[in-house]
Structures are given as C-alpha cells and as structure tokens.
Amino acid sequence: MKLISWNVNGLRACLKKDFLASCAALDPDVICLQETKLHAGQLELDLPGYRQYWNYADKKGYSGTAVFTKTQPLAVTCGFGEDLHRHEGRVITAEYEAFYLVCCYTPNAQDGLKRIGYRMEWEDDFRAYLVELDGKKPVVLCGDLNVAHNEIDLKNPGPNRGNAGFSDQERGKMTELLAAGFADTFRELYPDKTGAYSWWSYRFNARANNAGWRIDYFIVSRRLMDRVREAAIHPEVAGSDHCPVELVLELGETQSF
C-alpha cells in the first residue's frame, strides 16, 4: 500500500502547477493533503478511483486537510479532542481494517513563537489522541507537523535555533511523541541521510540551493515498522513550497498486527 502526504499550500494554485499529473505519476493508494485553503463547495476535484474526504477551516482560505483513498475506510472523522481544536480543519482520521490513518496539519508556532502556548496545548492533546487510537489498532500519522526534529533535518540549524519549527519546545514535543511508542519512518530507514528536506522557503532561491527543512512526516506505531518497505521524499515534484512524502506498507492477507 502506497501512501502520499503533501502540503499543497493552496490546492487551487497547485492544480495550476500539474497537481493531477503529479498524483497520476506517483499513483498512490491514498493521498493526504494539508493546507488546502478551501471551504465546502469551492472545488470539485476530478480524481477517478478515489473517495474524497475533506475537513475545512471555519476561516475561508486557511488551513484545511483532505484524504483521497482508493479503499473505502471503515469510518472517517474530522477533527479531534476538545472544541478548541476543531475550527481550523487540521485533522482527518480514516479507520482501515489494519490501522488508523491520521492526516494532520500541525499549527505553526508563528514568528516570535507568538502561538507557542497553543502549539504546546495542541501537542499534548494530539499525542493523547494518537495514544488512545494506538490502544485499539496501529496508527499511521502523516502530514506537515511543522517541526524539524533534529539538526540533520534542516540545512541551517544554528541560525534557526529557537525559531518556529526548530524551537526547543517543539522539538521536545516530537521527542515525547516518539517516546510514546511511535517511529519516524524516514529517519528509521535513513538515520544518517543529509540534505533530505520537504519544505523550502520561496525566498533566497532556497529550493534551488536545497536550503530546506524536513517537516513533513510519516510516523507509525512502532509495531508497524517491520511492515514499512519504503519512506521516501520527492523533491522533484513541484507545485508547492513543500514536496510530497511517501510511505509504502506491506499488509499481509490477514491485515492483523
């Protein structure tokens, strides 16, 4: 089973930059999107063979997630936890026979860490949600998690220390998540790989110079790691300031873990 996660930074804009062709070339079983920047009824997407599930922010043109899947899930829910976390369209959970798939667009701490208080509350509540799911069946979490966990995960760690996405607080919460029974699939397979990034600023020719950050992830329940066959990043795919990331799972006939 091949899964793709991609922060498209506005799906309408990405559609003008070969989004459909990119999806066809990647040919995944599941496509998870973040930052769609849509509201209900604004776009009809022609993706034959995929069932479409959307979660929209209350605020128009902001945030938003989507899951497109060839296999019908057992259930799909939008949002999680308290009402506080349910207004920005940031989470979709699709339950399959063998696992829960959680598509997430984590809130940005913003310049000067202006939103770090809410970010910390989100992190604790979201981790509790994932642990609760994991108690029922394994979890596959994907999305733009808005943090580069370690220095190897961004080109210029020194100047960015303490900035949004590379603050000690955010990195610490990622450490807590992994310690709760989860694994960063890409780093598990490629622990020493440098220059592997999924987001580049639009400024300073950052993408051309590969001055990027790895902030888009597939994180799985640790007991799923022996089913992971690949975790890849696709910097060759344009259309957004992020590129797609990929996970390939081998699911047995019984699909039990």
Side-chain angles (χ1 to χ4, degrees):
M1 185 178 198
K2 180 195 285 190
L3 303 95
I4 289 290
S5 178
W6 192 3
N7 179 320
V8 291
N9 191 15
L11 183 54
R12 285 173 294 174
C14 197
L15 278 166
K16 299 175 183 177
K17 302 174 184 177
D18 297 324
F19 170 80
L20 293 176
S22 296
C23 289
L26 292 165
D27 191 26
D29 299 291
V30 182
I31 305 167
C32 296
L33 303 183
Q34 303 87 43
E35 207 171 358
T36 55
K37 296 183 179 179
L38 295 169
H39 58 270
Q42 195 170 11
L43 178 70
E44 290 188 9
L45 191 62
D46 184 20
L47 269 178
Y50 291 92
R51 297 176 182 270
Q52 301 181 23
Y53 302 93
W54 302 81
N55 191 8
Y56 305 103
D58 294 352
K59 180 181 176 181
K60 293 183 178 180
Y62 177 74
S63 188
T65 47
V67 172
F68 311 142
T69 173
K70 291 180 178 179
T71 301
Q72 183 174 2
L74 301 177
V76 175
T77 58
C78 293
F80 80 99
E82 301 297 324
D83 180 71
L84 174 70
H85 303 309
R86 292 181 174 272
H87 295 276
E88 297 185 351
R90 292 186 177 274
V91 173
I92 299 177
T93 302
E95 180 183 359
Y96 294 92
E97 182 180 349
F99 61 92
Y100 288 102
L101 172 66
V102 182
C103 171
C104 176
Y105 177 38
T106 300
N108 193 303
Q110 299 183 353
D111 290 344
L113 302 183
K114 288 183 293 187
R115 211 182 187 196
I116 194 68
Y118 176 63
R119 172 67 178 265
M120 294 297 96
E121 186 172 356
W122 167 282
E123 292 283 357
D124 289 339
D125 292 348
F126 189 56
R127 184 177 65 256
Y129 173 67
L130 296 175
V131 168
E132 180 183 359
L133 292 179
D134 185 54
K136 302 172 186 176
K137 63 177 70 174
V139 172
V140 175
L141 164 65
C142 69
D144 174 2
L145 303 188
N146 260 318
V147 61
H149 186 208
N150 293 309
E151 291 191 355
I152 195 174
D153 295 315
L154 70 167
K155 180 63 177 278
N156 297 305
N160 283 294
R161 177 75 181 270
N163 289 342
F166 199 59
S167 68
D168 291 347
Q169 300 97 307
E170 293 162 299
R171 297 169 66 195
K173 292 301 182 185
M174 174 62 82
T175 298
E176 289 184 47
L177 174 61
L178 299 179
F182 298 93
D184 174 354
T185 57
F186 183 84
R187 203 48 81 191
E188 290 280 331
L189 296 185
Y190 306 104
D192 303 315
K193 187 173 181 62
T194 60
Y197 309 128
S198 64
W199 173 79
W200 304 262
S201 170
Y202 280 132
R203 297 179 294 173
F204 311 122
N205 293 315
R207 191 159 188 166
N209 296 322
N210 198 29
W213 300 47
R214 189 176 72 92
I215 60 176
D216 300 88
Y217 295 81
F218 271 99
I219 289 175
V220 302
S221 298
R222 182 155 289 280
R223 64 190 185 278
L224 270 185
M225 270 307 303
D226 64 351
R227 303 296 184 105
V228 173
R229 295 296 171 262
E230 180 59 286
I233 301 174
H234 291 282
E236 76 281 2
V237 178
S240 170
D241 52 350
H242 296 249
C243 74
V245 295
E246 173 185 327
L247 179 71
V248 179
L249 286 175
E250 181 178 317
L251 301 177
E253 291 183 4
T254 62
Q255 295 190 341
S256 63
F257 299 91

